[in-house]
Amino acid sequence: MTAGRALYLEVNGLSTHAWVRGSGPPLVIVPGLGCASWMYVRVSRELARRRTVYVYDPPGHGYSQGLPHLPDCIEQLTDHLAAWLDVAGLKGAPIFGHSLGGEVAFDLAARYPQHAGALIACAPTGIPENPSVFAQLVRLLLDLPRERLGLLVPGLRAYAHCGVRRMLKLAHDQDHHDTGRLLPKIKVPTLLVDGTSDPVIRLWTLEAIRNAIPAAYVCQIEGGTHALPDVFPRAVARYTLDFLGAVKH
C-alpha cells in the first residue's frame, strides 16, 4: 500500500493540507473537532485499496493554516471545505465526515448541493440533540478508555495544534447551528455509521437523522467506539465502499 503524498493548496488565502493515497474514484475524509489527517491513517489505508483518498485538514487543524478568527463556527468550516473542493477539482466527490466532520458534511450537502456526491457520516456529533459542551466533554471522557492506546499521542498532538480556544468555540457553535433545519434539504445518498459502544452518539440520534434525510441508511458496528475509523478501520471501510458501490459513486 502506497504511503501517499502531501497536497497543499491555497484556499481563500490559507495554505490547506490534505494527505492523498490510493487510486481510483475520489473520496474526501473530513476530520472531527480538533482532529488531524494523521489520525485517519488506518481507515484511509483500507479505503485506498479501491479509492483515491483525500484526508483533508480544515483551517487551523493538522497541517492547514488557520487564523485567530477562522474558523469560529461550523458554517466557516463548511464554506472553506466547499472552496477547497472547487480548487482541488473534487466538486461532487463523496464526503466521509467523522464526528463534527459529519455535521460539516451535512451542512455542505444542504447549503452546497452540487459539492457532495454522497455522504458517509461516521459517529456524527451534536445532531439533533446538540448537548452542552460540558455534556460532550463528559461523554468524550467516558469514551477515552475504550479507544486504542496508539491513538492517544497523535490525538493529543492534534488537539494541542488546534488549540483549546478554537475547539471550544466550534463546540459552542453546535448550540447555534440549526442542523435540524438543514437535514431535510439533503438529497444525496447518505450512510450513517455508529458503534454500539459509543457513549457520545446514541442510536435514537442516528434514527432521528435517518428520518430527516430521505435517502439515509444506518449501520452499526458491534463494540464500536467513537473513534470508529481508527479502532475498526476495516469494518468502516467495508461499509463505506459497499455503500458507494451500491449508489454508484
Side-chain angles (χ1 to χ4, degrees):
M1 184 66 60
T2 177
R5 62 184 177 88
L7 173 68
Y8 286 91
L9 298 172
E10 185 168 319
V11 180
N12 295 338
L14 298 176
S15 175
T16 304
H17 169 267
W19 191 257
V20 187
R21 56 166 42 95
S23 60
L27 173 64
V28 176
I29 295 179
V30 181
L33 175 63
C35 297
S37 52
W38 57 75
M39 297 174 66
Y40 296 86
V41 171
R42 287 160 64 87
V43 72
S44 66
R45 283 176 176 165
E46 295 296 330
L47 291 166
R49 298 179 188 276
R50 288 162 53 186
R51 291 267 169 172
T52 302
V53 182
Y54 296 78
V55 192
Y56 158 84
D57 277 329
H61 293 64
Y63 296 117
S64 288
Q65 182 183 9
L67 297 172
H69 63 283
L70 180 72
D72 275 349
C73 64
I74 293 168
E75 286 194 354
Q76 288 179 354
L77 288 174
T78 306
D79 293 342
H80 187 275
L81 173 60
W84 179 82
L85 290 168
D86 282 330
V87 173
L90 294 171
K91 183 177 176 180
I95 306 295
F96 178 110
H98 173 238
S99 194
L100 185 68
E103 188 165 355
V104 173
F106 293 143
D107 197 38
L108 179 79
R111 296 200 295 118
Y112 294 89
Q114 304 303 316
H115 282 66
L119 300 182
I120 301 92
C122 187
T125 59
I127 312 162
E129 54 189 335
N130 284 329
S132 68
V133 173
F134 177 76
Q136 292 181 59
L137 178 60
V138 170
R139 292 183 185 183
L140 286 170
L141 289 175
L142 290 172
D143 182 66
L144 283 177
R146 310 179 189 192
E147 303 297 355
R148 189 176 66 90
L149 186 60
L151 185 63
L152 180 60
V153 172
L156 291 176
R157 176 184 165 212
Y159 295 154
H161 179 81
C162 185
V164 173
R165 176 190 172 277
R166 192 187 308 278
M167 292 176 64
L168 285 176
K169 286 186 73 69
L170 291 172
H172 275 294
D173 187 56
Q174 288 183 331
D175 291 333
H176 309 290
H177 186 240
D178 190 3
T179 307
R181 175 182 57 83
L182 297 173
L183 292 176
K185 297 181 179 181
I186 297 174
K187 306 302 180 185
V188 299
T190 302
L191 175 66
L192 309 173
V193 185
D194 192 30
T196 59
S197 297
D198 183 355
V200 180
I201 301 301
R202 311 297 168 83
L203 179 59
W204 69 265
T205 304
L206 266 70
E207 290 292 346
I209 298 171
R210 180 173 66 175
N211 292 335
I213 303 177
Y217 304 88
V218 173
C219 70
Q220 283 199 302
I221 297 175
E222 188 68 30
T225 56
H226 191 60
L228 271 175
D230 180 78
V231 182
F232 291 86
R234 290 184 180 178
V236 170
R238 183 177 71 250
Y239 280 124
T240 298
L241 294 171
D242 288 349
F243 166 72
L244 292 176
V247 298
K248 295 179 171 52
H249 279 279

